[in-house]
Amino acid sequence: MTAGIYASRLGLETLLITKGFGGQIAKKAVFIENYPGFEKISGQDLVQKMEKQLKIQKIDIEIDEVRKVEKKGDDFLLSTRNKKEHQAKAVILASGSDPRPLEVPGEKEFIGKGVSYCSVCDGPLFKDKIVAIAGGGNAGFETAIFLTKIAKKIYILEYGEEVKAFEANQRIAGESGKIDVFTNVAIKEIKGEKFVKSIIYEDRKTKKEKVLDVDGIFIEVGYQPATSYVKGLVDFNERDEIKVEFETCQTKTLGLFAAGDLNIGPFKQIVTAAGEGAKAALAAYNYIQKL
Ligand SMILES: Cc1cc2nc3c(=O)[nH]c(=O)nc-3n(C[C@H](O)[C@H](O)[C@H](O)COP(=O)(O)OP(=O)(O)OC[C@H]3O[C@@H](n4cnc5c(N)ncnc54)[C@H](O)[C@@H]3O)c2cc1C
């Protein structure tokens, strides 16, 4: 959205193609307190404000998914899920990251039937229910804290010896009286009939297999960059994040820029993603001027 705001304000004929607005911010379960200009704002409110600012610009917006980017001479060709083709002089990739799946039996089968990757979207469906959260990082704890207002009981299941969430999140979770944290948990299977009924896991210390009866599970085990559609045009690191020049967010292909969470930068934040979006649009403008 930031790249879109900058590119259109620079007078570039700009098309923004997105699967939807908000990305990870829209999934944020607790308030955002570190985006400058807002002491405390919900993810949904921040997204709405950005979207409003974007839509008052002179910009074309299409809700679609880019499936392939190719370079033909000086031009780029983008093909989409809706079988559309778009030509561009410069392209800014800003497709962020998608939730990483657990990859256990039952996970895919029960998506929407108790398995969720978004507590803000699906949390209200678990009123007075028992839920598990896979992952004891900040995302897992924030999800658990958010769900204390809805669910009856919450289990955080962490694979490692210790949880990785900030102290503050651990403290708030502890004070809620609704959250139990289990460490050394290797989830083996999600079971159910029409909906999720239980989780089978191995206690990695005792090597014993256990059953936890739950009505649902939120998967919070990290994110993977959404970069598969640009293979060949960019260089990746070992985590499939795109390598860019620091100054311009330029990839190895001239005219192809990348901004935000899909980049190699170690700090995945809204303000850094927005900053890179601005940088990439300004660099794209300079590139097009030179062309
Ligand atoms: C639970 C959680 C809490 C967080 N809390 C904070 C916080 O408090 N403060 C903070 O600064 N950061 C926080 N973050 C991190 C922050 O949300 C991200 O750094 C930021 O959203 C990255 O923005 P992005 O635009 O690069 O990617 P994303 O937010 O992932 O957005 C990518 C967009 O691209 C779209 N897209 C993907 N693939 C395609 C495609 N092929 N074609 C078209 N469109 C596509 C997606 O639909 C999405 O709209 C949090 C993240 C999570 C998951």
Side-chain angles (χ1 to χ4, degrees), residues 72-89:
K72 299 246 161 91
D74 273 345
D75 287 341
F76 290 92
L77 208 60
L78 286 82
S79 357
T80 73
R81 186 195 176 95
N82 293 343
K83 308 221 174 323
K84 288 201 174 168
E85 290 209 326
H86 302 280
Q87 211 172 323
K89 291 280 175 218

Side-chain angles (χ1 to χ4, degrees), residues 125-176:
L125 303 172
F126 294 89
K127 181 132 189 66
D128 297 327
K129 306 265 188 205
I130 304 170
V131 294
I133 291 153
N138 280 313
F141 270 76
E142 286 185 6
T143 293
I145 293 163
F146 172 74
L147 289 171
T148 53
K149 291 178 218 123
I150 302 165
K152 181 166 74 181
K153 179 81 203 163
I154 300 144
Y155 297 101
I156 294 178
L157 309 178
E158 163 61 38
Y159 182 85
E161 187 89 28
E162 285 175 7
V163 297
K164 297 173 196 81
F166 293 146
E167 288 285 334
N169 280 335
Q170 292 189 45
R171 182 179 41 76
I172 299 166
E175 285 166 2
S176 78

